[in-house]
Every structure is written in structure tokens, then in C-alpha cells.
Amino acid sequence: MKKTAIAMAVSLLTATPVFAMEPADVDWSKVPANELVLFYPGQSTYQWLRSKDHKRAFMQTQDGQACVACHLNEEEVLGNTLVKEGRLEPTPVEGKNGSIKLGFQVAYDNDNAYFRFQWKTLNDYAGTAHPYWRYDGKAWKAFGGPKLNENVQSGEQPGIYEDRMSIIIDDGKVPMFKEQGCWLTCHNGERDNPDIPETADVTENPLFKHLKKKDVRKYLPSSRTDEDASWDMGKTPEEIAQLKADGVFLDLMQWRGHRSNPVGMADDFNVMEYRNGDAGKNPFGKNWDKEAKQPKFMYDPAKFGSKSVKFEDIRNKPTTLIREQNAVPFDPNAGWQEGDLIPEYVVSREDAKGSAADNSQAHGEWKDGVWTVVWARKLNLANPDDKALSDGNSYNFSFATHDDNITTRGHFVSFPVTVGFGADATIKATKLN
């Protein structure tokens, strides 16, 4: 089959190999288009939904009733309400939209599932920039961040963050995910949510000490011992291991405009007691030498055209630092000037390994204010940290997009939806010949 124009353009842009089965080869005009409305959730955590503050439905939520039983077709209204300052948004982002429309198509053949997403961005530029290291004339310091950060809202730092497209998949083994979706993973104590604990309290907690983590990330209620699913009430490692072996976890994958798209990939995580990376290595890593207190890599001037970028460059050209394409080891004696920027992360397709590298065919193109992301996911994966998609089965999906230099609770989310591959579901994947 001939490569489509998009596939050829993306291959040239990213300099990645041509795959045997490109998701852009799918004739998407023959695949039914679905439109989902995603909305801004604010701090509507698992705990809030089950509290009396959720006046309309807290008892129904506790009983496991589906969110859409009360909120069918209310996504736009919810988003426009929650994005404003109020009980669930203490620090609103100026100019932030409350909802977006997500175009979603899904197909499959004997080898892969194929996804196509389209959404319009709030900004008139692609969100392909991510926080950087900035030289201040004496030292390298963090520069930029998501708009919900206090130092960004105060004007101390500029809002810089990549656009993202996320998929969560459940195969029916996570209790209540079909009814309440990603709210099972969103809790008090997590970043940008209420009741964030002190680092010392996290590191001294038995579960987090075992995990060697110092902050609270996504987790499932099944991993906690109390009815409120409190962050600090974790089950034992042995109990959690058994739950995982029984399939009680979620697949979480993210296509990222800065940290994965330039090498034609998406990352791969799983959620149970924490948001864990799959076994192996995702396509991005921290570009920082802790001992030397400087970046590990800089741009190769011979290939990139300069050893660093300036703030005014980051909306006008790709700035991802790709280890095998435009990066060289950092030279502290390269004549650094105040204002020089080097990306906070280094990206590599070659270094991505194992189950973490399963999403090796994910390409995004931004044109006329719209992202189009095409994505292939292998069927019948046997990794213990993946949900294996297979013909004849249906799955519970949840989607999220990150837009306008924002992350964590500032994303847009969907209510859960069932997707069937040769099985009955709300959205049925098209079988390709």
C-alpha cells in the first residue's frame, strides 16, 4: 500500500524508520467517526465525588452508579462551570476553555488496533515545547512549567508544557471503572488536588517507602485498605502483587507533543497502587547530571544549528533534544550565555525498550490549529503490565487531552466508553480487510 502524505511527512520530520504497518495507511474515510466531548474536571476527586459536597449524587456514586446516569450529555456544561473559580477550582487559568470536541476513530486488523484522534487546540501554535534548563549566567536552573503551578500563575515562570493525548484501558477487571472511569485514579493528596502531604510524610509511609516514591500519583481504590481510599492507607506489597496478577490494574498510555512524537512513539504506564512505568524504558528521560548540576546533553550545533535555543525560538521550531539525531554530550566550557535553554528531557527511540516501548507507532501532525494523531497498538500483547486487546472482546476506555501549556487536573477528560473489537460496544472498531 502506498504511504499517505501524512505518513511520509511525519517520517521526514522525525527521521524515524518506516514501519511495516503504518497507522496512517488506514483509509480513515471508511472508518466511522465518533465525536466525544471532553471537559475540564477541576478537583473533582474520587473522595469529593463520594462526599456530601457532591450534593446531587454522592450516595449514588458510593453505590457505584455510572456518572452519565446523572450527567448524560452534560460535559460542556460541566466543563464551563468547573473551569471557573469555585469550590472545585481554587486557581483558575485565565482564558482556559471548559471543554473540547475529540474526534475518535478506531479500526483493527489481524495484528494491530488503530486509533485516530483529532482536536482543536486553544492556542494558535502546536504544544511541542516542554520545560527547559536555563543558564542564568552562573548556573542551570529549571525554566517554565504548567499553568497551574504557583510560580507560573504569579508570573515568576512562563507557562510551558507539551500537548498530550492519553488513553486508559480496562478489560473489565477494575471494579467500577466502566461506570466512573478515570475518577477512580484521581485522589486527594495527588498533585494539584486538595490535601497534598508533606514529602517527609510520603517517604515515611510504608507503601511509598517500599515503592521508593516521594509524591502521590494516580492509584486505584483497590490498592487501599479504607473505604475512602486514602493515599496513606496502602495494602501490603504482597496484596498489591496478587491484585496485579489478577488483572486489577489499568493501562495508561500517553502520546506527548515534545517527549514522544518527534520519535514516532507514545509511552506506556500502568495504574494500580501508583502510576508506574511499564517494564523497560519509555522514550524519554531526565536530561540532568545530579552530581555536576548541569544537563547531560546539549544540541549538536553541526546538526541542530546551535548548541541551545532562546525563549523566542520555542514556539517557532521543534526543540526536542533527540539523543541519536541532534544531541551531543554537554560541554560546560561551550561559552554559555545568560538565557540559553536546553530541554529538561532527552528523547530516544533507540533507548526505548521492553513493554514500555510497545507504542512504537504513534504520529501527530498539527495543522490549521488541529492535532491529528494516528496510533497503532499491537493486539494480543502478553506483557503482565499491559491490557491485551484482542478480537472478540470489548473494553472500557477513557480519554484525556492536555492543551494550553497545562497538566494534571487542568486536562480535559471523557466519561468512560466501551470499545468493541468484533464485539458489541458503544463504539465498534472497524475490521480492516
Side-chain angles (χ1 to χ4, degrees):
M1 186 184 295
K2 254 187 167 179
K3 297 293 169 193
T4 66
I6 289 178
M8 293 175 66
V10 170
S11 294
L12 289 171
L13 176 65
T14 61
T16 55
V18 175
F19 301 105
M21 292 186 182
E22 278 281 358
D25 281 338
V26 175
D27 185 352
W28 292 106
S29 68
K30 296 182 179 179
V31 178
N34 305 277
E35 185 177 86
L36 305 173
V37 179
L38 277 57
F39 66 97
Y40 188 96
Q43 293 182 335
S44 58
T45 65
Y46 178 87
Q47 287 75 22
W48 183 86
L49 263 64
R50 284 156 176 77
S51 74
K52 291 183 179 180
D53 290 333
H54 188 194
K55 296 178 181 179
R56 282 182 60 185
F58 79 97
M59 293 188 68
Q60 293 94 320
T61 306
Q62 290 179 2
D63 290 340
Q65 190 174 106
C67 294
V68 294
C70 291
H71 298 297
L72 183 64
N73 299 323
E74 290 186 355
E75 291 92 340
E76 187 173 351
V77 172
L78 287 170
N80 290 340
T81 301
L82 294 173
V83 77
K84 300 174 183 177
E85 184 171 4
R87 57 182 177 171
L88 291 177
E89 184 44 79
T91 57
V93 173
E94 185 178 355
K96 184 67 180 169
N97 47 319
S99 64
I100 66 161
K101 294 179 180 178
L102 178 71
F104 173 57
Q105 294 167 273
V106 56
Y108 71 108
D109 56 21
N110 293 330
D111 301 308
N112 296 315
Y114 301 98
F115 308 112
R116 185 174 186 260
F117 302 98
Q118 287 191 303
W119 71 98
K120 182 175 176 56
T121 61
L122 179 63
N123 296 316
D124 60 358
Y125 55 81
T128 58
H130 204 64
Y132 299 82
W133 300 114
R134 181 183 184 275
Y135 190 65
D136 68 0
K138 295 181 180 179
W140 291 92
K141 297 180 180 179
F143 182 76
K147 285 185 174 180
L148 281 170
N149 282 10
E150 185 177 343
N151 61 358
V152 175
Q153 293 210 341
S154 69
E156 179 185 341
Q157 291 282 356
I160 303 173
Y161 214 80
E162 67 190 345
D163 291 346
R164 305 209 308 252
M165 176 69 228
S166 304
I167 309 172
I168 293 180
I169 302 175
D170 162 53
D171 58 359
K173 295 181 180 177
V174 174
M176 292 197 302
F177 187 86
K178 182 178 180 180
E179 292 77 23
Q180 298 176 4
C182 65
W183 280 269
L184 298 186
T185 73
C186 181
H187 299 274
N188 292 350
E190 294 176 12
R191 296 175 300 169
D192 287 332
N193 277 332
D195 304 325
I196 298 175
E198 297 291 334
T199 300
D201 293 331
V202 177
T203 55
E204 289 302 312
N205 180 271
L207 174 60
F208 285 82
K209 185 177 289 187
H210 170 76
L211 296 173
K212 298 180 180 179
K213 304 294 185 182
K214 59 182 181 181
D215 65 357
V216 183
R217 303 285 175 99
K218 287 181 172 65
Y219 64 85
L220 294 179
S222 300
S223 67
R224 268 48 181 182
T225 60
D226 66 321
E227 186 175 344
D228 202 37
S230 305
W231 74 266
D232 56 346
M233 297 295 289
K235 292 183 177 179
T236 67
E238 293 76 19
E239 290 173 311
I240 289 169
Q242 184 59 58
L243 286 165
K244 287 183 177 179
D246 293 339
V248 185
F249 67 92
L250 298 171
D251 220 327
L252 168 61
M253 302 168 284
Q254 298 185 81
W255 167 92
R256 301 169 183 261
H258 179 91
R259 289 180 286 175
S260 74
N261 191 52
V263 292
M265 300 187 73
D267 65 33
D268 207 349
F269 285 76
N270 61 89
V271 179
M272 204 287 167
E273 81 286 16
Y274 196 81
R275 191 199 72 177
N276 296 301
D278 279 13
K281 189 177 186 306
N282 277 299
F284 59 89
K286 201 79 168 180
N287 182 32
W288 187 247
D289 185 328
K290 290 183 179 179
E291 293 185 4
K293 297 182 179 179
Q294 63 188 27
K296 293 179 181 178
F297 295 93
M298 66 184 204
Y299 296 111
D300 181 349
K303 295 179 179 178
F304 186 74
S306 60
K307 64 181 183 294
S308 63
V309 294
K310 299 293 186 182
F311 179 65
E312 54 268 24
D313 295 330
I314 66 174
R315 306 296 187 208
N316 299 315
K317 66 179 183 180
T319 61
T320 299
L321 186 64
I322 305 172
R323 187 191 60 74
E324 56 266 38
Q325 292 184 27
N326 63 10
V328 291
F330 181 80
D331 179 3
N333 301 312
W336 300 104
Q337 300 293 317
E338 183 177 355
D340 285 345
L341 301 178
I342 293 177
E344 193 176 72
Y345 286 85
V346 62
V347 179
S348 172
R349 184 179 181 86
E350 293 178 1
D351 291 347
K353 305 293 182 185
S355 179
D358 284 334
N359 294 303
S360 60
Q361 301 182 52
H363 307 294
E365 181 185 47
W366 186 87
K367 184 178 180 181
D368 298 330
V370 174
W371 273 115
T372 299
V373 175
V374 288
W375 187 332
R377 174 77 166 174
K378 289 183 179 178
L379 298 181
N380 305 311
L381 288 169
N383 306 315
D385 49 15
D386 285 320
K387 293 296 184 180
L389 302 176
S390 60
D391 196 356
N393 292 309
S394 63
Y395 303 85
N396 306 311
F397 276 57
S398 183
F399 305 106
T401 62
H402 296 72
D403 183 25
D404 188 29
N405 303 290
I406 205 165
T407 187
T408 57
R409 73 166 189 264
H411 57 0
F412 300 104
V413 298
S414 75
F415 288 130
V417 61
T418 58
V419 178
F421 298 86
D424 191 37
T426 305
I427 296 176
K428 295 181 180 179
T430 298
K431 183 66 181 288
L432 304 176
N433 295 325

